[in-house]
Amino acid sequence: MQVNSVETLFKKTLANSKLSAKQQAVLQVSLTLFAEQGFDRTSTSEIAKAAGVSEGTVFKQFKTKEGILQAIVNPVLAHVVPMVATEFLDELKTNDLNDLETFLQYAIQDRMMFAVENRLQIKVFAQEMSRNPNIVATLSAKLEAMVAGELGTALQRFKDRGELVDWPNMRIVRYLVGTVASYVLPQIFFAPTADFDAAQASRDALDFLMHGLAPAK
Amino acid sequence: MQVNSVETLFKKTLANSKLSAKQQAVLQVSLTLFAEQGFDRTSTSEIAKAAGVSEGTVFKQFKTKEGILQAIVNPVLAHVVPMVATEFLDELKTNDLNDLETFLQYAIQDRMMFAVENRLQIKVFAQEMSRNPNIVATLSAKLEAMVAGELGTALQRFKDRGELVDWPNMRIVRYLVGTVASYVLPQIFFAPTADFDAAQASRDALDFLMHGLAPAK
Amino acid sequence: MQVNSVETLFKKTLANSKLSAKQQAVLQVSLTLFAEQGFDRTSTSEIAKAAGVSEGTVFKQFKTKEGILQAIVNPVLAHVVPMVATEFLDELKTNDLNDLETFLQYAIQDRMMFAVENRLQIKVFAQEMSRNPNIVATLSAKLEAMVAGELGTALQRFKDRGELVDWPNMRIVRYLVGTVASYVLPQIFFAPTADFDAAQASRDALDFLMHGLAPAK
Amino acid sequence: MQVNSVETLFKKTLANSKLSAKQQAVLQVSLTLFAEQGFDRTSTSEIAKAAGVSEGTVFKQFKTKEGILQAIVNPVLAHVVPMVATEFLDELKTNDLNDLETFLQYAIQDRMMFAVENRLQIKVFAQEMSRNPNIVATLSAKLEAMVAGELGTALQRFKDRGELVDWPNMRIVRYLVGTVASYVLPQIFFAPTADFDAAQASRDALDFLMHGLAPAK
DNA sequence: TATGAATGAGCATTCATTCAT
DNA sequence: CATGAATGAATGCTCATTCAT
């Protein structure tokens, strides 16, 4: 199993933008620094130095420090998030996941690895979401589109087959996400313990969810 | 159902300390300001003004801005958290919660209300936890003590009666917390939607958990 | 009565220069912006944007921001000021101003209207004069040439006829200018009051000057 | 003849304020620097260095650079200007100036010396007036009060005795000020020529004004 | 000739912290 | 214990100017 690297996808997105190499560097190092130290604890001179550009260059393009964050957040929302979502859905389709258990096993492990792999980037976004409701709204809309679309179709098929409880899809997704998050959020936000066993965690989560989401008898 | 106010408990704890009234005021307004705007975006002069003290007073006792945070976090960890835990466990005992469903119903609703009620304070702590591993360790230890103690006893009783799946207590608690968190974390960190229906959320969560944590047949 | 527009004359002067259209645009918008906000409060990027040229273009020709000012001031001193002076003197000759009163009446009203009409441009020059002694020297020289030339001849004729006090011409001009300035300077530098009545002001000023400059009995 | 020093009066005013010695120093050197180089060309670090204080001190009290200017302008308008006006009027009364000529001679020479003496301070105020209409309004009101009060009374007495033309007092004052200004404004704003002969200028101005303001026969 | 990305010194301002009173 | 004036390093940002294309 091979999960996307948000950092890589972000770089690709930047490469397609009309930003100069130096300005791309600013955004790349900003993402890293914001992830490592937080937005408020990263100074613009630090960014300039790390990107190998002058302080003037940073502001010439992005106007304000907040503007740098926007210049990261917007393309991620517009391009990286959809790419990640599409690849995830594609993998679900490609991998011949016929019964719910196989489906969930794959999905859970995949997202768990994705979360761990992209810890720092998720942290930046989560922190920014707590101040910027627009991001929350955008991501919510994208999630709802997914649930109303392909993901919903898949869930419905499992319901029809009597493998999945007949709850609204958003409620089912809430428990899926919540359960996965109960494993990965501590890794992301608190001590990232070296001994985190994603495979075991996936099995455990699957076990729990297969019970919790089984159809009522 | 009547949940603790962390703010109130914190004030009581301060009242028992040997801090002067002015210094108590500093800590109280700091907690509020940190919650509202974040630690980094709150200046010490802002604290001084809001507390009605001079700028010197803020530092006389607490040495540094970080020291103010510690002077909040430490008593909360040392006194407020135990009081909250004790009251929670006491309520669980007092309320004649004999079967698992009744027990979980109460516990879930109680903690959900607690979380919503103390949103801002939880936010301060969560943010501080993401940079201070000590707090994580301390809270982890307290949680483990709970699970090893009274809470574990209660869970064991349900297991013995065949009402609860025979998983390690920490795993069970993880799913309990994760499921409740899937409802309250968005309220705490992102848009606190006015129409959040804690009662309905509690029923839904209970429903899910009762299935997920049912013993294997 | 129809007074010169410094702005128009300046444009004509530019049109005769070997400057490209873009560079002419730079000087034109610079004059306007300097007048509106002052030299120090006008940035070169602001000029570039307003002129519709790149930032590089601004400096390609004029080297420094101060150079832009010089490129405005010099042609104005070299061409616009002489044109204004010549036209003024020509009008004085053309209009059959035989006696002092008619002469002064015309001159005062004409210059008052000129000052009000070209308020902003005068302001730029006045501000620049207070830091650049060269302009003062140049303008002084031009004034002296006028007084030594045609204007002096006219004044002398009035003296010879016994209509004008026998003071040095520069002294007479000082009072003429000072009296007109006592009306127009407040308009130029402070609140430009909408209700300024140039005709009435001219009559009053004339009245006063006819007394003050009458020959001793 | 001994004219007020605005600088001295300003210092006295500051001494009566509740500003600390360092903050008074900030205002004093600011007044000087603003006069010498203009507001925009004076940096706050320059002010701090010249005042012998840290940059923080400058802003602790005055919040913004504009705030420094206000902290100079306001006390001058509130205290220095009235003191200057009062002293001027007192001197006019004390000096037994019975006929118009003696009166004007004294007044003209006194104000001319005052203007030359306080060149730099007048420059600061004039520059600030061209951006801040409030100052213009305040000074206008004070001038009108003077003209409606003691100064008006004096002028009326000369009118009654047939020594002074029967024009509105404001008009008479306009010519007085304008004529004096025609001598001193060039000194203040342009090259302050070393050879300026205030005594001679006063005599000339008096001569002109005595003619211009003589009553109609 | 014109462009516009890049520069880096400089600016106004903020901030946590100190210390004499 | 409390004050608040004073500090000076650091911050986000602007600006005139340069230079490769």
Side-chain angles (χ1 to χ4, degrees):
Chain A
M1 185 173 291
Q2 166 91 8
V3 293
N4 294 122
S5 157
V6 167
E7 196 178 1
T8 306
L9 293 176
F10 182 55
K11 275 188 194 171
K12 283 184 193 164
T13 302
L14 287 184
N16 287 335
S17 73
K18 53 188 188 307
L19 291 174
S20 71
K22 300 217 169 193
Q23 284 153 358
Q24 291 179 31
V26 167
L27 296 186
Q28 278 174 39
V29 309
S30 293
L31 178 55
T32 305
L33 290 174
F34 291 165
E36 284 169 3
Q37 343 178 333
F39 179 80
D40 288 322
R41 300 191 168 197
T42 304
S43 75
T44 52
S45 78
E46 210 174 351
I47 291 171
K49 192 175 294 177
V53 304
S54 73
E55 289 209 45
T57 300
V58 172
F59 285 93
K60 190 75 174 194
Q61 188 67 27
F62 304 113
K63 307 304 182 206
T64 66
K65 188 183 170 188
E66 185 67 31
I68 301 173
L69 187 54
Q70 296 308 325
I72 294 172
V73 164
N74 290 336
V76 168
L77 285 182
H79 299 112
V80 175
V81 169
M83 285 166 72
V84 166
T86 302
E87 285 211 33
F88 174 55
L89 292 175
D90 282 355
E91 279 176 14
L92 289 183
K93 275 188 295 192
T94 324
N95 277 280
D96 225 28
L97 309 167
N98 292 317
D99 60 293
L100 179 63
E101 182 153 15
T102 320
F103 177 87
L104 281 186
Q105 186 188 354
Y106 189 92
I108 290 168
Q109 193 174 346
D110 184 79
R111 288 305 86 185
M112 221 174 250
M113 286 178 63
F114 175 84
V116 171
E117 197 78 13
N118 296 288
R119 295 170 39 236
L120 291 180
Q121 291 75 19
I122 291 173
K123 206 172 166 185
V124 177
F125 259 71
Q127 280 170 358
E128 182 57 9
M129 283 169 79
S130 75
R131 349 189 150 84
N132 187 343
N134 287 340
I135 302 182
V136 179
T138 304
L139 287 179
S140 296
K142 286 185 193 294
L143 180 63
E144 270 171 41
M146 266 179 77
V147 171
E150 280 185 272
L151 191 57
T153 312
L155 295 178
Q156 189 58 46
R157 200 172 57 240
F158 295 125
K159 287 183 197 168
D160 293 343
R161 287 196 212 149
E163 295 183 64
L164 181 61
V165 66
D166 190 19
W167 287 338
N169 287 338
M170 278 306 291
R171 184 176 170 196
I172 294 170
V173 170
R174 180 188 296 273
Y175 300 140
L176 291 173
V177 172
T179 302
V180 171
S182 75
Y183 286 97
V184 299
L185 282 193
Q187 296 294 312
I188 292 175
F189 287 96
F190 312 135
T193 49
D195 65 342
F196 177 65
D197 182 345
Q200 181 60 46
S202 298
R203 278 193 299 274
D204 286 356
L206 175 64
D207 195 7
F208 168 61
L209 285 164
M210 284 303 291
H211 282 87
L213 299 176
K217 269 137 301 192
Chain B
M1 185 173 292
Q2 164 94 8
V3 294
N4 294 122
S5 157
V6 167
E7 196 178 1
T8 307
L9 292 176
F10 181 55
K11 277 189 195 172
K12 283 184 193 164
T13 302
L14 288 183
N16 287 335
S17 72
K18 55 188 188 306
L19 292 174
S20 71
K22 299 215 169 195
Q23 284 158 354
Q24 292 180 30
V26 167
L27 297 185
Q28 276 174 41
V29 309
S30 293
L31 177 55
T32 305
L33 291 173
F34 290 165
E36 283 169 1
Q37 347 180 346
F39 178 79
D40 288 323
R41 300 189 171 198
T42 303
S43 74
T44 52
S45 76
E46 210 174 351
I47 292 171
K49 190 179 295 178
V53 305
S54 73
E55 297 199 41
T57 299
V58 172
F59 284 89
K60 188 72 181 187
Q61 186 66 29
F62 306 114
K63 307 305 183 205
T64 67
K65 188 184 170 188
E66 186 67 31
I68 300 172
L69 187 55
Q70 296 308 326
I72 293 171
V73 165
N74 290 337
V76 169
L77 286 181
H79 300 110
V80 176
V81 170
M83 285 167 73
V84 166
T86 303
E87 284 211 34
F88 174 55
L89 292 174
D90 282 356
E91 278 176 16
L92 289 182
K93 276 189 293 193
T94 323
N95 277 280
D96 225 27
L97 309 167
N98 293 318
D99 59 293
L100 178 63
E101 181 154 15
T102 321
F103 176 86
L104 281 186
Q105 185 188 355
Y106 190 92
I108 291 168
Q109 193 174 349
D110 184 78
R111 288 304 88 184
M112 221 173 249
M113 286 178 63
F114 175 84
V116 170
E117 197 79 12
N118 296 288
R119 294 172 43 236
L120 291 179
Q121 291 75 19
I122 291 173
K123 208 172 166 184
V124 177
F125 260 72
Q127 282 170 358
E128 183 56 12
M129 283 169 79
S130 76
R131 46 174 105 87
N132 187 344
N134 287 340
I135 302 182
V136 180
T138 304
L139 285 180
S140 295
K142 287 186 192 292
L143 180 63
E144 270 171 41
M146 265 179 78
V147 172
E150 280 185 273
L151 190 57
T153 311
L155 293 179
Q156 189 57 48
R157 199 171 57 241
F158 295 125
K159 288 182 197 169
D160 293 344
R161 286 196 213 149
E163 295 184 64
L164 182 61
V165 66
D166 189 18
W167 287 337
N169 286 337
M170 278 306 290
R171 184 176 171 198
I172 293 171
V173 169
R174 181 188 295 272
Y175 300 141
L176 291 173
V177 172
T179 302
V180 170
S182 76
Y183 285 97
V184 299
L185 281 194
Q187 296 294 313
I188 292 175
F189 287 96
F190 313 135
T193 49
D195 66 342
F196 178 66
D197 183 346
Q200 181 61 44
S202 299
R203 279 193 298 273
D204 287 354
L206 175 64
D207 195 7
F208 168 61
L209 285 164
M210 284 302 292
H211 283 88
L213 300 177
K217 270 140 302 196
Chain C
M1 185 174 291
Q2 165 93 6
V3 294
N4 294 123
S5 158
V6 167
E7 195 178 3
T8 306
L9 293 176
F10 182 55
K11 277 188 193 171
K12 283 184 192 163
T13 302
L14 288 183
N16 288 336
S17 72
K18 55 186 188 308
L19 291 174
S20 72
K22 299 215 169 194
Q23 284 157 356
Q24 291 180 31
V26 167
L27 297 185
Q28 276 174 43
V29 308
S30 293
L31 177 56
T32 306
L33 291 173
F34 291 165
E36 283 170 2
Q37 348 178 342
F39 178 79
D40 289 321
R41 300 191 170 198
T42 303
S43 74
T44 52
S45 75
E46 210 175 352
I47 292 170
K49 188 178 294 177
V53 304
S54 72
E55 296 199 42
T57 299
V58 172
F59 285 88
K60 189 71 180 187
Q61 186 68 26
F62 306 113
K63 307 304 183 207
T64 67
K65 188 183 172 189
E66 187 67 30
I68 300 172
L69 187 54
Q70 295 310 324
I72 293 171
V73 166
N74 290 337
V76 168
L77 287 181
H79 300 110
V80 175
V81 169
M83 284 166 73
V84 166
T86 303
E87 284 211 34
F88 174 55
L89 292 174
D90 282 355
E91 277 175 16
L92 289 182
K93 276 188 296 192
T94 323
N95 277 279
D96 225 30
L97 309 167
N98 293 317
D99 60 293
L100 178 64
E101 179 153 17
T102 320
F103 176 87
L104 281 185
Q105 185 188 356
Y106 190 91
I108 291 169
Q109 193 175 348
D110 183 79
R111 289 303 87 186
M112 220 174 249
M113 286 179 64
F114 175 84
V116 171
E117 198 78 12
N118 296 288
R119 294 170 39 235
L120 292 180
Q121 291 74 20
I122 291 173
K123 207 172 166 185
V124 177
F125 260 72
Q127 282 170 358
E128 183 57 11
M129 283 170 78
S130 75
R131 48 175 103 88
N132 186 344
N134 287 340
I135 302 182
V136 179
T138 304
L139 286 180
S140 294
K142 286 186 192 293
L143 180 63
E144 271 171 40
M146 264 180 77
V147 172
E150 278 185 274
L151 190 57
T153 312
L155 294 179
Q156 188 58 46
R157 199 171 58 241
F158 295 125
K159 288 183 196 168
D160 293 344
R161 287 194 213 149
E163 294 183 66
L164 181 62
V165 67
D166 189 20
W167 287 338
N169 287 337
M170 278 305 291
R171 182 175 172 198
I172 292 170
V173 169
R174 179 187 297 273
Y175 300 140
L176 291 173
V177 172
T179 302
V180 171
S182 75
Y183 285 97
V184 298
L185 283 194
Q187 295 294 313
I188 292 176
F189 287 96
F190 313 134
T193 49
D195 66 341
F196 177 66
D197 183 346
Q200 180 61 45
S202 300
R203 279 192 298 272
D204 287 355
L206 175 65
D207 195 8
F208 168 61
L209 285 164
M210 285 301 292
H211 283 87
L213 300 176
K217 268 138 303 193
Chain D
M1 185 173 293
Q2 165 91 9
V3 293
N4 294 120
S5 157
V6 167
E7 196 178 2
T8 306
L9 291 177
F10 182 55
K11 276 187 194 172
K12 282 184 193 164
T13 302
L14 287 184
N16 286 337
S17 73
K18 54 188 187 308
L19 291 174
S20 71
K22 299 218 170 194
Q23 285 155 357
Q24 292 181 29
V26 167
L27 297 185
Q28 277 174 40
V29 309
S30 293
L31 177 54
T32 306
L33 290 173
F34 290 165
E36 282 169 4
Q37 344 179 334
F39 178 80
D40 289 322
R41 302 193 166 194
T42 303
S43 75
T44 52
S45 77
E46 211 173 351
I47 292 170
K49 192 175 296 177
V53 305
S54 73
E55 290 210 42
T57 299
V58 172
F59 285 92
K60 191 74 174 195
Q61 187 67 27
F62 305 113
K63 308 303 182 207
T64 66
K65 188 183 170 190
E66 185 68 30
I68 301 172
L69 187 54
Q70 295 309 324
I72 294 171
V73 165
N74 290 337
V76 168
L77 286 182
H79 299 111
V80 176
V81 169
M83 284 166 73
V84 166
T86 303
E87 285 211 33
F88 174 56
L89 292 174
D90 282 354
E91 278 175 16
L92 290 181
K93 275 188 296 192
T94 324
N95 278 280
D96 225 28
L97 310 166
N98 293 317
D99 60 293
L100 179 64
E101 181 154 15
T102 320
F103 176 86
L104 280 186
Q105 185 188 356
Y106 188 92
I108 291 169
Q109 192 174 349
D110 183 79
R111 288 304 87 185
M112 221 174 249
M113 286 178 64
F114 174 84
V116 171
E117 195 80 13
N118 297 289
R119 292 171 44 236
L120 292 180
Q121 290 76 18
I122 291 173
K123 206 173 166 184
V124 177
F125 259 72
Q127 281 170 358
E128 182 57 10
M129 282 169 79
S130 76
R131 347 189 150 85
N132 187 343
N134 287 340
I135 302 182
V136 179
T138 304
L139 286 180
S140 294
K142 286 184 192 295
L143 179 63
E144 270 170 41
M146 264 179 77
V147 171
E150 281 184 273
L151 190 57
T153 310
L155 294 178
Q156 188 58 47
R157 199 171 57 242
F158 296 125
K159 287 182 196 170
D160 293 342
R161 288 194 213 149
E163 297 183 63
L164 181 62
V165 65
D166 189 20
W167 287 337
N169 287 336
M170 277 308 290
R171 183 176 171 196
I172 294 171
V173 168
R174 180 188 296 271
Y175 300 140
L176 291 173
V177 171
T179 302
V180 170
S182 75
Y183 286 97
V184 297
L185 282 193
Q187 295 295 312
I188 291 176
F189 287 96
F190 314 133
T193 49
D195 65 342
F196 177 67
D197 182 345
Q200 180 61 44
S202 298
R203 279 192 298 274
D204 286 355
L206 174 65
D207 195 6
F208 168 61
L209 285 164
M210 285 301 291
H211 283 86
L213 300 177
K217 268 140 304 197

